[in-house]
Amino acid sequence: MKQDPELERRVRELLSRMSVEEKVGQVVQGDIASVTPEDVRKYRLGSVLAGGNSDPGNDFHATAAQWVALADAFYQASMDTSGGDNAIPVLFGIDAVHGHNNLVGATLFPHNIGLGATRDPELLREIAAATAVEIRATGLDWTFAPTLAVPRDDRWGRTYEGYSEHPEIAALYAGPLVEGLQGKVNSKSFLAPGHVIATAKHFLGDGGTYEGRDQGDARVSEEELRDVQGAGYPPALQAGVQAVMASFSSWNGVKMHGNESLLTEVLKKRMGFDGFVVGDWNAQGQVPGCSNTDCAAAFNAGVDMMMTPDTWKGYYESTLKHVKSGEISMARLDDAVTRILRVKMRAGLFEAPRPSQRPLAGNDNLLGDPKHRAIARRAVRESLVLLKNQGGILPLDPKASVLVAGDGADDIGKQSGGWTLTWQGTGLKPSDFPKAQSIWSGIAEQVAAAGGKATLSVEGKYATKPDVAVVVFGEEPYAEFQGDIKTVAYKPTSTADLDLIKRLKQEGIPVVAVFLSGRPLWVNREINVSDAFVAAWLPGSEGGGVADVLLRDGQGKVAHDFSGKLSYSWPRSAAQTPLNAGQGGDPQFAYGYGLKYGEDGNLAPLSEDPGLDLSAVQSARFFERGALAKGWRLRVAHAGVPAYSTVVAEAKDANVTVTAVDHKAQEDAWRYAWVADGPSSVALVAPDALDLSRETNGDVLLLLTMRIETPTPRETALFVECGDDCAGRVPVGAQLAALPVNQWTSIGMPLKCFAAAGANMGKLTVAAGIESSAGYRLAISEVGYGTVADHVLGCDGP
């Protein structure tokens, strides 16, 4: 972008009037769950964000008007000059990554992996523009999108956030996406009402993370970093993107938040980026020598605004100290503040009235606007990829009798995936999607209109044999690091979906499989037993788009053909990863594959050899279905004397008795009864030290599904261990005592609580332990980690 001399003069003039305290405030961003308007007024914070689980007043169903009211409160606090400070409007940002996805009722577009299959950059421009309008309806200024990652290992839990494994698609889409969000640079539309500030992320190399580990290490050459991982950034900068988010990850062992060479020398100087670099969620704490509340190194490296959601106050105080001591130079601080003020002025925030007085603000009708939903439905149609069509079974006759089965058929949360209303997209119910349509509903609507018969049965049951079955199944929702997997096998420990399809086939019913996933997965067994197989990715709120393509119209004609092409290579075995175009290998379906109607869709039987031992794949559950995960041990200890076992029959101890009981199935839970005087404990010991540092940095919980059978003693505690003389113990007696007795429920303890209690979460040897005393009894059916629980415990009590 060409700099505006008058705007630059205004920035310099304002900067000259600002105190050191005001300048430091501008480079700090807090989350609305942890920062108030009064905090913004007192500390002159430059920005606030709404994280994946944050809502106004903690109201999950907050309306556009409630969001605008909160935006007004933060804005008015930032503009308050009664204390002699300068009026500098606060920036309010959010992760609107597949539509305005934190808002109930908003349009949910397909996740990026599906959009990559469309090969349609103008569609992406329309999606971005519609998203900007819905963001503006809630009074916000800024989205942390687009993601320009180029995922190279599909085990990565953020694979669906990347448009493709191939850099050509990131480069093709980046410009239209930025222009759709911000408007066209050097035109009257640029950052005008109806547009928002965009963020290119995550700079740089997030998609190249080794072994698909989130927040991991891109062990690649500089050429690959530039030409593959960096492919989307030049067109994004040319389109005028105003913010770039630094990556959590590392490049060859160096954390990006501390990489001055790339953030400052390359991005800002060589590439000429004059907007600001924003950090990711407390990522500064992972830079060597830093903590979440103290990190001069990341700021000096080139991160201009630090995302410190719940640690903002400590970070503000330490940064102010570092500026006054000279560890952070005034020149570096002025550079960062200049960049932030420049973007705020370019966005017209200094001239704009308070959020509620801006165009579009508070208009709930813009959330899920029919025009936006029509764009999303078109995107669903274009994203579907047909992998198999044996005997030309598709398209289906809508006048037929159609059975719709599978647990994804009538589940909008599942078809929308992670980053949907909550961070991980879990714990949602149908009423959370008032303007959306499930895949079942879309099929039923069109079949009914044509005079056919559609029946929904998740289990695949029926009174009258149908002509065809559409089985919708796939991955459960997940987001970053919760979605990391060890192998690209689909549900390696479960064959429930395969068994359903097999049963229908054995009953003489043709089956069309609709597969919901955030990445290509090894599903050869499911493909073999299905007559047709459709990769539907994570289509979002418009399930009718699937029906548009699967079904003929009422006159028997093809209304919408398949047009999607794989933007990721599809694996031939569960061990085949990494697998990328141009790197060799022999994919089951190559990059660019996708059938159309009229083409030969017949497939010879695919190999059902997974290439590895699926029974050895570790899940996020340490104990489930009455058994410990492979290699895990139960430890019972009293007065420091431990006894170990792996099955309930061997768990014999005089201090705590362990017996098998029933929860959902026969003997799928273990009952623990404390019988000896004095404290005793039970604990799950890992086969190898676990690194849960990434999960701890997020909102991940230790989860226990339990039935408390006696009153809980006050001295009861949950604990983890991290080697000799290393543990984190959290008292929970009072909180558990408040829960119902003799009722199955799930409890969650934030992993952060154990870290605060002294545990090193990077080397856990005991992932879960309970300490109590004589007379206590409870049964447990599952132990693991996740993000949703019936009761989330506090670190310091209720």
Side-chain angles (χ1 to χ4, degrees):
M1 289 184 64
K2 293 181 180 178
Q3 288 192 350
D4 178 346
E6 174 57 21
L7 185 148
E8 296 299 317
R9 184 199 64 76
R10 289 174 60 202
V11 170
R12 290 194 299 272
E13 193 275 331
L14 176 55
L15 188 70
S16 70
R17 291 189 278 113
M18 294 173 66
S19 66
V20 173
E21 289 78 8
E22 286 180 286
K23 292 176 181 179
V24 171
Q26 284 297 302
V27 305
V28 178
Q29 182 185 59
D31 185 85
I32 63 172
S34 303
V35 66
T36 66
E38 180 55 35
D39 293 327
V40 169
R41 178 181 289 105
K42 180 178 180 180
Y43 294 94
R44 316 309 293 174
L45 301 184
S47 178
V48 294
L49 81 148
N53 291 321
S54 299
D55 303 285
N58 203 29
D59 182 356
F60 178 75
H61 290 93
T63 63
Q66 287 174 279
W67 280 91
V68 171
L70 181 63
D72 265 2
F74 281 121
Y75 170 82
Q76 288 167 340
S78 71
M79 301 300 282
D80 186 347
T81 59
S82 60
D85 297 302
N86 291 283
I88 303 175
V90 67
L91 266 178
F92 196 165
I94 196 166
D95 283 282
V97 294
H98 67 125
H100 199 9
N101 44 264
N102 256 32
L103 274 290
V104 170
T107 307
L108 298 172
F109 296 94
H111 269 295
N112 291 353
I113 190 170
L115 299 179
T118 71
R119 306 296 205 276
D120 189 343
E122 288 309 306
L123 170 64
L124 274 289
R125 187 191 306 274
E126 292 182 44
I127 289 172
T131 301
V133 167
E134 298 201 14
I135 294 171
R136 280 298 192 186
T138 53
L140 280 71
D141 316 290
W142 177 20
T143 176
F144 308 133
T147 298
L148 301 177
V150 180
R152 304 292 277 178
D153 191 320
D154 298 340
R155 292 173 292 184
W156 188 35
R158 304 188 78 157
T159 294
Y160 65 79
E161 295 188 50
Y163 297 100
S164 175
E165 71 188 26
H166 202 298
E168 66 182 2
I169 296 183
L172 179 69
Y173 284 178
L177 284 162
V178 171
E179 289 180 353
L181 289 166
Q182 294 190 162
K184 198 167 182 64
V185 73
N186 299 323
S187 76
K188 291 183 178 179
S189 71
F190 184 67
L191 293 176
H195 292 288
V196 296
I197 295 166
T199 310
K201 68 180 189 182
H202 305 84
F203 191 87
L204 184 64
D206 49 344
T209 180
Y210 179 67
E211 293 185 340
R213 286 180 56 81
D214 191 51
Q215 302 177 16
D217 189 18
R219 302 176 184 178
V220 300
S221 67
E222 185 169 357
E223 288 75 16
E224 183 171 341
L225 187 74
R226 179 193 66 204
D227 298 340
V228 177
Q229 297 301 320
Y233 289 91
L237 296 180
Q238 288 163 1
V241 73
Q242 291 297 287
V244 171
M245 183 178 288
S247 180
F248 252 112
S249 58
S250 304
W251 175 45
N252 290 329
V254 179
K255 281 288 177 184
M256 281 303 311
H257 271 62
N259 196 319
E260 182 179 4
S261 172
L262 289 172
L263 294 177
T264 298
E265 297 301 321
V266 172
L267 176 62
K268 294 179 177 179
K269 294 183 179 179
R270 190 182 307 173
M271 299 177 76
F273 175 58
D274 70 354
F276 66 86
V277 174
V278 63
D280 206 343
W281 189 279
N282 277 333
Q284 71 281 355
Q286 296 185 7
V287 175
C290 289
S291 68
N292 290 351
T293 56
D294 191 344
C295 192
F299 189 77
N300 284 334
V303 181
D304 302 303
M305 179 186 288
M306 212 67 67
M307 186 184 287
T308 49
D310 52 356
T311 55
W312 62 268
K313 188 174 181 182
Y315 180 78
Y316 170 91
E317 292 169 345
S318 68
T319 302
L320 183 60
K321 179 187 69 176
H322 292 316
V323 171
K324 290 183 175 179
S325 73
E327 186 172 353
I328 293 175
S329 70
M330 187 58 69
R332 171 67 193 109
L333 179 62
D334 283 351
D335 171 59
V337 177
T338 293
R339 291 170 175 275
I340 293 166
L341 296 179
R342 178 183 293 134
V343 171
K344 290 183 175 183
M345 288 187 184
R346 281 176 174 165
L349 294 184
F350 283 84
E351 294 75 36
R354 65 181 184 270
S356 61
Q357 300 301 308
R358 298 173 192 171
L360 312 182
N363 188 346
D364 268 305
N365 292 329
L366 292 174
L367 298 177
D369 184 308
K371 296 190 294 294
H372 301 163
R373 292 187 61 192
I375 296 169
R377 187 162 177 159
R378 173 187 155 204
V380 174
R381 292 195 295 262
E382 292 189 25
S383 68
L384 303 175
V385 180
L386 181 59
L387 300 181
K388 177 182 180 181
N389 193 18
Q390 207 78 8
I393 185 176
L394 291 176
L396 300 176
D397 180 1
K399 295 182 173 63
S401 173
V402 181
L403 172 68
V404 184
D407 62 8
D410 197 29
D411 189 336
I412 299 171
K414 182 161 181 167
Q415 75 188 39
S416 298
W419 285 109
T420 298
L421 303 185
T422 64
W423 173 41
Q424 295 283 333
T426 51
L428 304 174
K429 52 189 182 299
S431 60
D432 297 328
F433 299 95
K435 298 183 181 180
Q437 185 177 47
S438 70
I439 293 172
W440 146 251
S441 178
I443 293 173
E445 182 178 84
Q446 295 188 43
V447 169
K453 179 185 177 183
T455 303
L456 173 66
S457 171
V458 171
E459 300 84 8
K461 298 177 180 178
Y462 52 87
T464 303
K465 183 178 176 181
D467 298 316
V468 66
V470 176
V471 179
V472 187
F473 65 101
E475 292 187 291
E476 297 302 319
Y478 56 83
E480 53 200 287
F481 56 70
Q482 275 291 95
D484 290 358
I485 53 177
K486 301 294 186 183
T487 165
V488 291
Y490 169 63
K491 288 188 177 177
T493 59
S494 171
T495 61
D497 301 309
L498 178 63
D499 294 341
L500 170 60
I501 300 172
K502 280 183 175 180
R503 178 174 58 79
L504 291 169
K505 287 289 290 180
Q506 289 166 356
E507 293 166 0
I509 302 169
V511 173
V512 174
V514 177
F515 185 53
L516 304 172
S517 75
R519 49 196 153 206
L521 292 169
W522 184 74
V523 283
N524 282 12
R525 297 172 297 182
E526 290 82 357
I527 293 174
N528 280 342
V529 76
S530 302
D531 294 281
F533 197 93
V534 178
W537 314 112
L538 299 169
S541 61
E542 305 312 311
V546 175
D548 290 344
V549 182
L550 294 187
L551 300 169
R552 297 180 183 271
D553 64 18
Q555 287 71 48
K557 297 178 181 178
V558 174
H560 300 281
D561 200 346
F562 282 92
S563 60
K565 304 295 181 185
L566 290 180
S567 58
Y568 289 79
S569 305
W570 200 281
R572 186 174 293 277
S573 79
Q576 199 176 20
T577 185
L579 178 66
N580 299 297
Q583 287 189 321
D586 182 23
Q588 187 69 68
F589 303 104
Y591 172 86
Y593 179 89
L595 296 167
K596 286 180 170 292
Y597 291 138
E599 296 180 343
D600 182 5
N602 293 323
L603 279 182
L606 307 178
S607 169
E608 297 191 6
D609 178 4
L612 48 78
D613 181 6
L614 295 181
S615 66
V617 177
Q618 178 67 56
S619 75
R621 295 289 180 268
F622 319 133
F623 173 79
E624 61 182 339
R625 295 192 290 274
L628 292 164
K630 187 173 183 177
W632 286 72
R633 295 179 296 162
L634 172 70
R635 186 189 74 196
V636 178
H638 179 74
V641 181
Y644 295 90
S645 58
T646 57
V647 294
V648 68
E650 298 173 356
K652 298 175 181 178
D653 188 86
N655 308 298
V656 180
T657 64
V658 187
T659 54
V661 295
D662 298 347
H663 177 202
K664 296 179 179 179
Q666 182 177 353
E667 297 189 348
D668 65 339
W670 290 3
R671 172 185 287 133
Y672 301 90
W674 278 256
V675 294
D677 292 333
S680 298
S681 66
V682 293
L684 298 186
V685 182
D688 299 294
L690 298 177
D691 182 358
L692 296 185
S693 55
R694 299 171 302 148
E695 289 81 351
T696 303
N697 188 50
D699 294 329
V700 175
L701 311 168
L702 170 66
L703 297 177
L704 297 97
T705 300
M706 62 168 55
R707 182 179 65 199
I708 299 170
E709 299 181 352
T710 61
T712 303
R714 292 195 64 84
E715 60 269 25
T716 301
L718 292 176
F719 65 89
V720 298
E721 295 177 5
C722 34
D724 295 338
D725 301 319
C726 178
R729 182 182 182 278
V730 182
V732 294
Q735 297 185 76
L736 294 185
L739 299 182
V741 176
N742 291 320
Q743 179 178 312
W744 285 102
T745 189
S746 62
I747 67 158
M749 171 61 72
L751 296 180
K752 289 179 178 178
C753 296
F754 298 116
N760 181 342
M761 302 303 287
K763 55 173 187 177
L764 291 188
T765 52
V766 168
I770 302 176
E771 182 181 88
S772 195
S773 56
Y776 192 40
R777 190 172 72 244
L778 79 165
I780 298 177
S781 64
E782 280 191 354
V783 184
Y785 57 86
T787 57
V788 177
D790 297 330
H791 304 279
V792 178
L793 307 182
C795 299
D796 301 309

